[in-house]
Amino acid sequence: MTDFSQIRPFHDSEVSEILNYIKDNPTIYQLLQFGFPKLNEQEQMNLLLSCKKIRDFQSRIMYPIIKSAISKSVTQLSDDGFEYLNPSQSYLFISNHRDIILDTSFLNVLLHEKGFKMTASAMGSNLVNTPFLLAFAKLNRNFIIHRGLSPRETLQKSQLVSQFIARCVIEKNRSVWIAQREGRTKDGNDRTQQGVIKMLSMNCPKQMPLMTYFKQLHIVPMAISYEFDPTDILKIPALLAQHHGVEYIKKENEDYNNIVQGLVGQKGCVHISVGKPLYEDLDLIAAQEEHTNRQIQALVELMDARIHSQYKLFASNYIAYDLLNDIERFSDKYTEKELRQFERRLENRSNSEGNISRKKFLEMYANPVINKLKL
C-alpha cells in the first residue's frame, strides 16, 4: 500500500481526537458563532464534538457555515450542468480558481443538496502553515499539494498526489476537486497549467494509452463565476508587482485575511457550471495526436476552451470591458445604476499607482469577456 500520510485527509477513526485538539482554538469559536448564532457556546461545542466522521464534519458543521455565508454575502447561487452527472459516479472536477476556500465550498454545497458525495479537494501547503490550519483542512477532506520543494521532491510529491487522486476517483468512488493552475487566478485570465495535467498523467500505467487512463478519471471541466470578487483589492499588490517585474512577497497573515474576506465579503451573484465529462473529447485527442506531450497540450487547450465557455458573465464583467477599452460595446448588458456602482467600486480600490492599478482592476473583471470573445 502506498503511504499517503503526508498528503491525505484524516481518516474517520482520527476525527474525534482531532476535534478535541482544535476545539479551543479561537477560529473554531468564531466559525461556530458565524454558522450557529442561535446556539449557546456549550450547544455549539456539543455539535462539533458529535462529529465522528469526516462526512459528519462536512455536513453538520461546514455545510451550515457555508450556507450562512451564502445567506449573508451572496445575492444568488446558481448552477448548471449537474444533469450531465450521475450521483453514484465519482468525478475529477478541474476548475478555475478564484477564492481560497469558497470555490470548493460552494461546489460541495451544491453536490450535497443534489444527492452527490462531497469532494476531496486539493489545497496548497502554503495555506496550511500552522498545526491548526492543517488539521482544519484535513478535517474538511482536503489533501495537500506541497509547495516550495526542490525539483526532485516536487517530482516525488507530484507522483504521490497523482496516485492519491486516482485512488479516490477510480478505487474509492470519491470525487476530487483540483484547480486548473497553482494558486488563484488574480487577473481574471483563467488558464490551465500544463504541469497540472502532467501531474495527473504520472499514474498512468505504462501499457495504457494516456487518454484511456484520463477517461477513467471522469474529468469534468468546471467554471465558477463571481459577480464581485470580495478579495479583488487584496489581489492588486501582487498584480502590480508582476507588472513591474519584481518578486511579490506576501505579508504576514495575508492568506488568512483573504480567506476571511472571501467568506464575509459581498459577492453578488455566484454561478457554478459543470460540463459534460470528457469522454468523446479524449477519444478525439487520441485520434488526432500521437505523442503524449501533444495530447497533454491539446487537453490543456480543451480545458481552457470549456472553462471560458462555461464562465457566466455578469454586468460587472461587461462594464469593466467597456471602461478598459473606453467604449460602449456592451452597454445593453448593464444599467446606468450598475455602471455607477461599479465605478464607485473602482474608485474605492485605486491606490497611489492610479492608472496602473485601475487597469489591473478592470482587467480582473474584463478578461473573462475577452476570453469568451476569442472563442
Side-chain angles (χ1 to χ4, degrees), residues 177-214:
W177 178 96
I178 190 167
Q180 67 180 149
R181 52 170 296 129
E182 179 181 327
R184 291 171 297 156
T185 300
K186 295 183 176 68
D187 62 0
N189 185 17
D190 299 308
R191 295 286 166 188
T192 306
Q193 276 179 342
Q194 194 177 72
V196 172
I197 305 301
K198 281 189 171 177
M199 178 274 290
L200 294 171
S201 75
M202 287 179 173
N203 194 55
C204 178
K206 285 185 179 178
Q207 303 79 15
M208 185 180 290
L210 180 58
M211 294 300 112
T212 302
Y213 172 69
F214 277 164

Side-chain angles (χ1 to χ4, degrees), residues 43-319:
E43 289 169 332
Q44 291 170 357
M45 191 54 57
N46 290 344
L47 180 63
L48 179 72
L49 297 179
S50 73
C51 299
K52 305 301 179 190
K53 299 179 178 180
I54 296 285
R55 176 180 167 77
D56 297 340
F57 183 77
Q58 284 190 303
S59 59
R60 295 179 195 172
I61 305 298
M62 290 311 300
Y63 174 76
I65 287 172
I66 299 303
K67 287 293 282 187
S68 180
I70 291 169
S71 69
K72 293 172 182 174
S73 69
V74 175
T75 307
Q76 181 187 31
L77 175 62
S78 57
D79 64 84
D80 68 65
F82 286 95
E83 67 272 14
Y84 302 132
L85 307 184
N86 179 352
S88 63
Q89 174 65 60
S90 57
Y91 298 96
L92 171 57
F93 296 95
I94 302 181
S95 169
N96 66 330
H97 188 22
R98 297 303 177 81
D99 186 275
I100 291 174
I101 65 166
L102 287 184
D103 297 351
T104 49
S105 298
F106 287 157
L107 171 64
N108 277 324
V109 160
L110 293 174
L111 290 172
H112 185 60
E113 291 178 349
K114 295 173 187 294
F116 291 76
K117 285 184 186 177
M118 289 188 258
T119 64
S121 304
M123 178 168 276
S125 60
N126 55 303
L127 301 172
V128 289
N129 51 13
T130 68
F132 167 75
L133 288 174
L134 181 60
F136 187 78
K138 292 170 74 171
L139 266 175
N140 210 23
R141 215 185 292 277
N142 289 117
F143 60 95
I144 308 303
I145 309 285
H146 285 89
R147 309 281 191 221
L149 303 177
S150 69
R152 183 180 176 185
E153 288 175 313
T154 298
L155 179 63
Q156 290 172 338
K157 286 293 194 296
S158 295
Q159 289 170 330
L160 194 63
V161 170
S162 187
Q163 283 182 275
F164 181 78
I165 290 172
R167 185 167 179 261
C168 285
V169 177
I170 299 171
E171 295 179 32
K172 301 291 186 182
N173 199 33
R174 168 68 60 187
S175 289
V176 168
W177 178 96
I178 190 167
Q180 67 180 149
R181 52 170 296 129
E182 179 181 327
R184 291 171 297 156
T185 300
K186 295 183 176 68
D187 62 0
N189 185 17
D190 299 308
R191 295 286 166 188
T192 306
Q193 276 179 342
Q194 194 177 72
V196 172
I197 305 301
K198 281 189 171 177
M199 178 274 290
L200 294 171
S201 75
M202 287 179 173
N203 194 55
C204 178
K206 285 185 179 178
Q207 303 79 15
M208 185 180 290
L210 180 58
M211 294 300 112
T212 302
Y213 172 69
F214 277 164
K215 283 169 71 174
Q216 294 183 0
L217 292 178
H218 310 290
I219 295 172
V220 171
M222 170 183 146
I224 182 164
S225 319
Y226 293 84
E227 183 178 11
F228 298 108
D229 181 347
T231 63
D232 51 19
I233 185 62
L234 302 177
K235 293 176 179 176
I236 294 295
L239 292 171
L240 290 175
Q242 184 184 47
H243 174 80
H244 293 299
V246 298
E247 183 185 1
Y248 178 68
I249 299 172
K250 287 183 180 180
K251 298 182 178 70
E252 190 178 359
N253 291 328
E254 182 169 329
D255 288 327
Y256 181 77
N257 291 335
N258 270 274
I259 289 172
V260 172
Q261 185 58 31
L263 189 66
V264 302
Q266 293 301 309
K267 291 165 271 292
C269 296
V270 178
H271 185 79
I272 287 182
S273 173
V274 297
K276 291 180 179 178
L278 303 180
Y279 301 132
E280 294 86 352
D281 306 273
L282 296 177
D283 286 337
L284 194 59
I285 289 174
Q288 292 177 339
E289 303 289 355
E290 185 179 344
H291 297 292
T292 299
N293 284 344
R294 296 282 293 274
Q295 290 179 349
I296 287 174
Q297 184 54 37
L299 180 52
V300 165
E301 292 167 7
L302 175 64
M303 289 301 306
D304 285 352
R306 289 296 165 85
I307 289 171
H308 294 161
S309 68
Q310 290 170 218
Y311 195 98
K312 182 178 175 67
L313 297 176
F314 297 107
S316 54
N317 303 110
Y318 292 116
I319 291 168

Side-chain angles (χ1 to χ4, degrees), residues 347-359:
E347 193 177 316
N348 292 338
R349 281 154 173 75
S350 61
N351 64 10
S352 56
E353 296 192 55
N355 286 338
I356 300 173
S357 64
R358 180 181 188 275
K359 183 172 183 286

